[in-house]
Amino acid sequence: MMAYPPPGGGGYGYGNQYQQPYGGGGGYTYNNSAYNVNYAQPAAPMMGMMGNMMGGMMGGMMGMMMQQAPPSQQTNITYNMMFSSDTAFQDSAASALGMEAEDMEVSDDDYEEEEEEEEEEVKEKKKKFKKKCKRRQKLAQKVAEKCQEDDSFLEKVRQNYIARLRTHLLKDGTIDPTEGTIKYYAKYKADDPLVPFMAEYDGTELVGEKWDAEWDCMYLKEACDGAGTNEEAIIYICTTRNNEQRQILKKQFKTNFGEDLMETLDSETSFKFKEVILALFVPPALFDALNIKKAIQGLGTDESALIEILLSRTNAQIEEIKAVYGDINPDDCATDKDLECNIEDDTSGDLKRILISSAQGGRAELDPEKLDEAVVPVMFHDEETDEDKPTGSFTIDMEKLVDMKRAKQDANNLFEAGEDCFGTDEDTFIRIFACRETYQLRAIYGEYVKLTQRDVENTIDREFSSDSEKALLTLVMSIKCRPKYFAERLTWTMKGLGTKDSDLIRIIVSRAEIDMVQIKETFLAQNKKTLWKWIEEDCSGDYREMLQRIVGRD
């Protein structure tokens, strides 16, 4: 299959019912109850800007990437394939060209500067975004040119793209284009505070040098030595190096100075600021396992935290949690039993069955063959040669990822297990929700709306109660749009009197490298105020500064 961009550059875009929006209203229900075409209006300004900036062909490609769903499936029109967050293509194209995406040169002359009265930080962010758009255009052009020379090159880029989508699947559980606000720090930049620090220390010129844990540790040591603590230096390192690099820092610090970095930071910081720092240095799986045991520890159980963690993680993440769960010191948190035993002892009823089911990490996963078939090149028709030629980009035919016949049958099974019977067949709900792959479940939810004229959340609300209702709703929300679910959770942590600090820290730290960019987008759409601003108004001191630096300004 080949995909073609629509004519005219596309001021609006159609989406796909199997992908939920990152922005806009509608909660977790389908936006279009009448099943007619619903234009993705929030995407239009972005589309128009990109089209104007990048020219007709790229604007058309953007319109193409948000494909129109067939009339029989127009239950939800969405727009989350925003290419501002689609780094998989850029990385795969650059790799096939034997370069890094960031190495594609883009000068200020490649785009027009806007004459507007704005803060410098806002102007800089717009400038970076425009450069990213132009970089993607140049990469696509280079791929298209290379394809003219080598017929096999397009397939090489396509396979690179598929490989990156599969890697993303392991981390996110979807191929939705998500990204974190904290990423691997590859090279020292001119504005890095380590540049003047090392220049003064021994004359080392760091700009352009690859990241080195030894230099970072020297900077941290200086920040913690002497009278007082340089909190800004600690915040900078913690929020610009990813978790993998922080693990290296712990070992390097002990190698450099014979001292434990965590003990040093523990003694130099305090209160919630310290809690965030220590959380950032815990490996992700261990961090989840620690929070699960904390939720189970002592009298009473924090069902909310258990539901959040166990029903929003991927199979791979669940397996990693179970692998380290027994390593946590039982004197500090709960018992040394395995995860399933702790769930068995501390929960009951349908909630216990839902959590134990999730703890197996056995959800069906996207078939690699289906993904391979779904990734298709975007073509344009050359009128002069009367040939179809590649634009250098790709799209994903989402319908090839699902089995619609089975989706309709499962939707009917859910209807018969709830709305169409006296009482509720809980087993059917748990089985289908726990076993089906993410995109298959999205298709099931779409078919359920058509069949019952209500979304599946409404049925859960009518058929279940208490913690089992919360668990199933969490599962559905996470399947439909995980960033939107976490945006709502973050709102919950700060809304009303007081702040649920431990929950706030857990969510921000655990999502910082996965989908925080999209969480911020939906948070803004839901609250009409940025996550950064909410944190500013709800927290204080170095604790506030740390959280704000993790999530970043919009």
Side-chain angles (χ1 to χ4, degrees):
M1 173 184 173
M2 294 181 291
Y4 295 85
Y12 59 84
Y14 293 101
N16 188 292
Q17 68 161 334
Y18 310 127
Q19 290 185 286
Q20 295 298 309
Y22 290 143
Y28 290 92
T29 62
Y30 288 98
N31 298 332
N32 190 354
S33 59
Y35 306 119
N36 59 349
V37 174
N38 179 19
Y39 295 101
Q41 293 176 353
M46 182 75 73
M47 295 284 293
M49 183 187 77
M50 290 182 183
N52 292 336
M53 179 174 60
M54 299 174 60
M57 184 184 81
M58 288 303 293
M61 285 167 57
M62 281 298 297
M64 172 284 309
M65 292 177 78
M66 300 176 185
Q67 302 168 33
Q68 180 177 4
S72 63
Q73 299 172 0
Q74 290 170 355
T75 58
N76 188 34
I77 303 301
T78 66
Y79 42 89
N80 71 334
M81 290 297 284
M82 301 296 287
F83 102 10
S84 62
S85 60
D86 183 12
T87 56
F89 167 74
Q90 296 190 50
D91 290 342
S92 56
S95 176
L97 290 165
M99 60 186 295
E100 296 288 337
E102 294 295 324
D103 292 338
M104 174 62 68
E105 293 186 6
V106 179
S107 67
D108 292 343
D109 296 332
D110 287 329
Y111 55 87
E112 296 180 3
E113 290 283 0
E114 297 178 12
E115 294 294 332
E116 294 183 25
E117 291 291 330
E118 292 178 321
E119 294 181 18
E120 281 302 315
E121 187 172 357
V122 175
K123 284 185 177 181
E124 187 62 27
K125 284 183 178 292
K126 282 189 175 182
K127 184 177 179 181
K128 287 182 179 179
F129 176 74
K130 290 177 182 179
K131 279 192 173 184
K132 188 173 184 178
C133 293
K134 192 65 182 179
R135 183 180 297 116
R136 189 187 197 283
Q137 181 190 20
K138 285 193 169 187
L139 283 168
Q141 288 174 343
K142 279 190 172 292
V143 169
E145 292 167 2
K146 189 72 174 178
C147 288
Q148 302 302 316
E149 305 169 5
D150 182 357
D151 292 338
S152 65
F153 188 74
L154 186 65
E155 180 60 19
K156 180 180 179 181
V157 178
R158 194 179 79 90
Q159 289 302 325
N160 280 351
Y161 184 40
I162 292 170
R164 280 165 173 77
L165 290 176
R166 288 174 179 163
T167 299
H168 190 68
L169 263 174
L170 292 175
K171 181 174 72 171
D172 184 69
T174 73
I175 54 173
D176 299 351
T178 59
E179 62 178 318
T181 48
I182 296 182
K183 302 171 184 177
Y184 184 85
Y185 190 82
K187 294 179 180 179
Y188 289 97
K189 301 169 186 174
D191 60 353
D192 192 309
L194 267 79
V195 171
F197 170 76
M198 288 305 299
E200 182 179 343
Y201 182 81
D202 63 3
T204 300
E205 174 55 56
L206 285 191
V207 178
E209 292 292 326
K210 289 183 179 180
W211 177 77
D212 191 311
E214 182 180 346
W215 290 326
D216 276 17
C217 287
M218 291 169 66
Y219 187 58
L220 284 172
K221 177 69 171 175
E222 178 76 14
C224 296
D225 276 354
T229 303
N230 184 350
E231 287 86 0
E232 169 57 31
I234 295 172
I235 291 171
Y236 177 77
I237 293 295
C238 288
T239 58
T240 56
R241 277 52 166 172
N242 70 1
N243 192 276
E244 176 188 352
Q245 291 174 302
R246 291 184 216 115
Q247 304 314 310
I248 298 171
L249 285 174
K250 288 194 291 187
K251 183 175 181 179
Q252 186 66 48
F253 194 88
K254 190 170 284 188
T255 302
N256 278 16
F257 311 112
E259 299 175 9
D260 188 281
L261 176 58
M262 304 319 298
E263 291 179 1
T264 299
L265 293 174
D266 188 12
S267 65
E268 294 293 328
T269 58
S270 59
F271 304 114
K272 297 301 177 184
F273 178 49
K274 175 166 70 175
E275 187 176 336
V276 183
I277 292 173
L278 299 183
L280 286 168
F281 278 90
V282 180
L286 189 58
F287 185 65
D288 279 345
L290 181 61
N291 279 288
I292 290 172
K293 281 204 170 184
K294 283 181 178 179
I296 292 172
Q297 181 183 16
L299 294 174
T301 302
D302 185 353
E303 290 88 358
S304 176
L306 285 179
I307 289 169
E308 174 201 304
I309 297 170
L310 290 171
L311 296 179
S312 68
R313 301 311 192 247
T314 67
N315 288 350
Q317 289 167 336
I318 291 291
E319 291 301 324
E320 290 171 357
I321 290 170
K322 291 194 293 185
V324 300
Y325 192 78
D327 295 341
I328 299 172
N329 188 340
D331 293 335
D332 294 334
C333 292
T335 71
D336 56 357
K337 294 180 180 179
D338 65 23
L339 175 58
E340 190 172 326
C341 287
N342 279 169
I343 294 171
E344 181 83 31
D345 290 345
D346 260 65
T347 58
S348 60
D350 288 335
L351 175 62
K352 177 171 72 174
R353 296 200 295 145
I354 294 167
L355 294 178
I356 288 176
S357 171
S358 297
Q360 305 312 303
R363 180 179 303 284
E365 297 184 332
L366 193 59
D367 186 342
E369 291 185 6
K370 285 186 177 180
L371 181 59
D372 191 283
E373 292 175 5
V375 177
V376 293
V378 182
M379 312 295 285
F380 74 95
H381 189 74
D382 189 330
E383 297 293 344
E384 293 185 5
T385 62
D386 196 30
E387 294 178 335
D388 293 327
K389 294 183 178 180
T391 62
S393 193
F394 300 86
T395 188
I396 302 172
D397 185 351
M398 304 303 294
E399 292 177 11
K400 289 190 174 183
L401 301 180
V402 299
D403 181 341
M404 287 308 302
K405 182 178 179 181
R406 190 172 188 184
K408 290 177 182 179
Q409 182 60 58
D410 278 340
N412 188 67
N413 291 340
L414 290 172
F415 172 62
E416 292 179 350
E419 299 287 349
D420 197 38
C421 76
F422 181 77
T424 306
D425 177 4
E426 294 89 352
D427 288 348
T428 297
F429 277 86
I430 294 173
R431 174 177 59 81
I432 292 175
F433 284 12
C435 293
R436 301 293 179 263
E437 184 270 328
T438 296
Y439 292 98
Q440 187 68 23
L441 274 174
R442 291 181 185 179
I444 292 168
Y445 299 154
E447 291 302 313
Y448 189 84
V449 172
K450 296 178 187 178
L451 179 64
T452 66
Q453 294 300 294
R454 47 172 102 244
D455 62 31
V456 72
E457 297 97 310
N458 184 274
T459 293
I460 292 170
D461 185 54
R462 288 154 56 91
E463 300 290 332
F464 292 84
S465 62
S466 191
D467 290 326
S468 60
E469 177 189 358
K470 293 176 185 175
L472 289 179
L473 286 175
T474 294
L475 197 154
V476 172
M477 294 172 187
S478 182
I479 289 292
K480 281 189 171 184
C481 183
R482 195 172 289 115
K484 198 167 189 178
Y485 164 68
F486 280 109
E488 291 194 0
R489 287 286 286 174
L490 285 169
T491 301
W492 167 77
T493 66
M494 293 182 282
K495 200 167 188 177
L497 293 174
T499 303
K500 302 173 183 66
D501 292 291
S502 292
D503 296 295
L504 178 63
I505 292 168
R506 180 183 66 249
I507 295 169
I508 288 179
V509 169
S510 65
R511 308 313 296 182
E513 296 182 30
I514 299 176
D515 51 10
M516 185 54 72
V517 170
Q518 287 68 35
I519 290 171
K520 291 199 301 175
E521 289 172 6
T522 55
F523 189 95
L524 175 59
Q526 290 168 1
N527 297 292
K528 311 307 176 188
K529 192 183 292 186
T530 67
L531 176 56
W532 189 93
K533 189 66 175 177
W534 266 59
I535 292 170
E536 181 181 56
E537 296 174 351
D538 220 64
C539 306
S540 61
D542 294 324
Y543 170 49
R544 174 179 63 193
E545 181 68 19
M546 176 70 90
L547 293 182
Q548 286 182 312
R549 296 278 277 275
I550 294 173
V551 304
R553 289 177 66 105
D554 284 49

